[in-house]
Amino acid sequence: MSVAESDTIRMADENTQSLDAMFDAFEGLPVLEGMRIEVVEGNVHMTPQRATHWEIIWKIVTQLTNRFPQRRVFSDVRIDYPGDHNGLCSDVTLLAEGAQADDEGRWRWQDVEFVAEVISRGTGMNDYGPKKTAYATAGVPLYLIADPYQGSVHVYAQPKSGDYAETWPPVPFGTDIDLTQTPLGLTLGTADFPRD
């Protein structure tokens, strides 16, 4: 193992320990019941789950579980991504076939094939900014943002150097999105996506 590799492993371990401490400090506080907590670039973000937000997540998850085993599709499960303190709890995550949780029950970012985020008014800048960067840096092949305020879906593909080389034009809610040539291999219906 080279010096650079050992430094990277040490930094990853320190980030994980620090993220664990941040999450531990907030978990179990009664005032936070029903709040979604995640850490983006070292900043803690707490948002309540809105009905519109959850309905879109559910519609995406349902379509994915019609194609993939349910054990590969998750919502709001913490995965630590590359970068400085990114403990992200994506709205929808699809893991690779055969992905295994580690000894602590955590999934690895290296096994993520697809992520979808549904915009919340207070944290939308994270989805379009630092979270998009974290997913691209991790090499997540396909990233989708459903924006109920704009009434459109944004698709990003081909991660390269911390960004996505391919950005699709926004697709209005109500339009089917042909993702058959992507790792999803399906057409995603958005006809029932509610607006906010």
Side-chain angles (χ1 to χ4, degrees):
M1 180 183 310
S2 71
V3 172
E5 288 173 334
S6 65
D7 286 346
T8 301
I9 291 168
R10 184 178 48 76
M11 288 173 59
D13 288 344
E14 288 172 2
N15 270 345
T16 298
Q17 290 169 0
S18 180
L19 282 167
D20 287 346
M22 293 172 90
F23 276 98
D24 288 346
F26 285 96
E27 287 181 2
L29 292 176
V31 73
L32 300 177
E33 192 69 33
M35 298 291 280
R36 176 176 182 238
I37 301 170
E38 68 182 348
V39 180
V40 181
E41 294 186 327
N43 298 303
V44 176
H45 295 271
M46 297 178 289
T47 55
Q49 188 75 270
R50 295 174 47 93
T52 299
H53 190 261
W54 172 242
E55 189 175 340
I56 294 171
I57 292 169
W58 179 253
K59 290 179 184 308
I60 294 170
V61 166
T62 301
Q63 292 179 69
L64 290 181
T65 56
N66 286 334
R67 168 129 169 56
F68 300 100
Q70 196 169 8
R71 67 184 176 276
R72 291 181 55 196
V73 181
F74 294 91
S75 178
D76 265 351
V77 173
R78 174 184 159 193
I79 297 176
D80 296 344
Y81 283 88
D84 186 27
H85 298 91
N86 285 316
L88 307 182
C89 303
S90 309
D91 291 325
V92 181
T93 300
L94 174 68
L95 296 175
E97 181 74 36
Q100 297 284 327
D102 65 18
D103 293 339
E104 295 180 19
R106 292 216 184 101
W107 300 100
R108 299 171 347 117
W109 56 265
Q110 294 91 334
D111 293 326
V112 176
E113 291 187 338
F114 167 76
V115 170
E117 295 285 5
V118 180
I119 295 296
S120 294
R121 193 175 304 279
T123 58
M125 67 284 196
N126 288 335
D127 298 324
Y128 286 111
K131 288 171 77 171
K132 180 178 163 225
T133 300
Y135 297 141
T137 301
V140 174
L142 188 65
Y143 175 42
L144 181 144
I145 297 175
D147 191 328
Y149 302 102
Q150 295 177 5
S152 61
V153 175
H154 304 262
V155 179
Y156 304 94
Q158 299 181 8
K160 185 176 182 182
S161 303
D163 202 358
Y164 283 95
E166 186 178 321
T167 301
W168 297 17
V171 179
F173 282 10
T175 305
D176 288 347
I177 304 171
D178 182 0
L179 300 169
T180 56
Q181 302 303 310
T182 72
L184 286 186
L186 57 75
T187 298
L188 185 72
T190 68
D192 297 329
F193 283 16
R195 291 190 64 143
D196 213 351

